[in-house]
Every structure is written in structure tokens, then in C-alpha cells.
């Protein structure tokens, strides 16, 4: 009976240790920055990977306000990626209207564009480096979507 108790305790300890290991964060952590404001709801976000090692350099977010018809894009760098420049862009279908915000070190945006009833493309770009890494460019641009 004593042997069974120890085996059960050992199995529980191994399971608990496994749970502790699997709960460690394994994803990028974007820095905090501005929001788009009241009435905007997140539509999509996408990790932006650097061109060198493929590590996550930042995240780009698309928000939409149904009452105003405005889209909003914010790009935030990962806490470990040191940027030289960062940008957030949104483009409306049917014309060449492009809204772009750049020049910040931790985030870009909020970048607003009215596109009620039209599709948009959005994206983010970061230029910089990870600690002890070479300078690299990380960029992601969506296809046309979020038509509303």
C-alpha cells in the first residue's frame, strides 16, 4: 500500500512539473502604446517576423469602429527588438488612399482611415535589431479584406 501511495505522489509531482514547464510564455511580448480610442474593436492582429532569423520583431493590429467607419492600425515592437524605425499603414480599396504613421521607436500609430463599405489592406514595418544581432527589416502586409 505504501509503494502505491509513493508512486501516485511521484506521478502527481511529474505532472505538476510538466504543467509548470508548459505554462512558460513562448511568444513575443509587444510593448505597450496608444490605443485607437473608444468604439474601436480589434479585427485582426499579425506577428511580424524579422528577415534574418525569423524571430518576432513586433505585432500589427487592425481595429474598426462600426459607427464611424474608420479603421485604425497600430504597430508595436517586441520588447527585445530595438527599432531604428517603425511604421503602421492602412490602404483603402478602389483608390490609392494610404494612411501611414512612422518615426516612433516603440510603436507607430494609431493610423486612421475612413473606409466604410470598402476593403482595406493593413500592415506594419520595423527596422532594427535584436540584442547581439544584425540589423534587419521586418514587414508584413495583409491582403484585401475586412470589407465593411
Amino acid at each position: 500500500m505504501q509503494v502505491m501511495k509513493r508512486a501516485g505522489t511521484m506521478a502527481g509531482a511529474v505532472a505538476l512539473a510538466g504543467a509548470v514547464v508548459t505554462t512558460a510564455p513562448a511568444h513575443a511580448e509587444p510593448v505597450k502604446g496608444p490605443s485607437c480610442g473608444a468604439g474601436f474593436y480589434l479585427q485582426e492582429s499579425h506577428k511580424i517576423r524579422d528577415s534574418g532569423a525569423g524571430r518576432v520583431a513586433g505585432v500589427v493590429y487592425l481595429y474598426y469602429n462600426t459607427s464611424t467607419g474608420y479603421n485604425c492600425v497600430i504597430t508595436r515592437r517586441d520588447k527585445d527588438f530595438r527599432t531604428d524605425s517603425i511604421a503602421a499603414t492602412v490602404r483603402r480599396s478602389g483608390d490609392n488612399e494610404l494612411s501611414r504613421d512612422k518615426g516612433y521607436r516603440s510603436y507607430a500609430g494609431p493610423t486612421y482611415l475612413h473606409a466604410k463599405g470598402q476593403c482595406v489592406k493593413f500592415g506594419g514595418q520595423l527596422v532594427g535589431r535584436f540584442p547581439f544581432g544584425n540589423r534587419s527589416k521586418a514587414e508584413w502586409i495583409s491582403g484585401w479584406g475586412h470589407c465593411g
Side-chain angles (χ1 to χ4, degrees):
M1 194 57 107
Q2 187 71 0
V3 172
M4 293 295 276
K5 234 183 211 183
R6 284 189 185 159
T9 303
M10 181 66 104
V14 169
L16 180 59
V20 171
V21 171
T22 59
T23 59
H27 56 81
E29 184 179 327
V31 297
K32 296 190 187 305
S35 68
C36 295
F40 282 89
Y41 296 95
L42 182 64
Q43 302 298 302
E44 185 177 346
S45 66
H46 197 281
K47 293 177 182 174
I48 305 171
R49 298 188 181 277
D50 81 315
S51 57
R55 291 175 59 188
V56 176
V59 180
V60 62
Y61 302 88
L62 174 68
Y63 296 86
Y64 185 70
N65 185 317
T66 56
S67 63
T68 65
Y70 274 87
N71 291 272
C72 172
V73 177
I74 297 174
T75 302
R76 293 189 178 120
R77 72 170 175 86
D78 179 76
K79 66 180 179 65
D80 293 331
F81 192 77
R82 304 295 176 237
T83 56
D84 297 328
S85 69
I86 186 169
T89 61
V90 59
R91 181 182 297 252
R92 177 173 53 215
S93 65
D95 62 20
N96 289 327
E97 184 70 24
L98 172 71
S99 184
R100 181 178 181 105
D101 187 30
K102 62 180 183 173
Y104 299 100
R105 297 287 178 146
S106 294
Y107 62 88
T111 303
Y112 298 97
L113 181 67
H114 186 267
K116 192 169 191 108
Q118 295 175 301
C119 301
V120 295
K121 272 187 180 183
F122 74 100
Q125 180 186 71
L126 303 101
V127 177
R129 65 180 46 90
F130 286 100
F132 309 109
N134 294 326
R135 189 169 190 262
S136 65
K137 179 179 177 181
E139 183 174 36
W140 183 85
I141 299 173
S142 74
W144 292 109
H146 300 284
C147 309

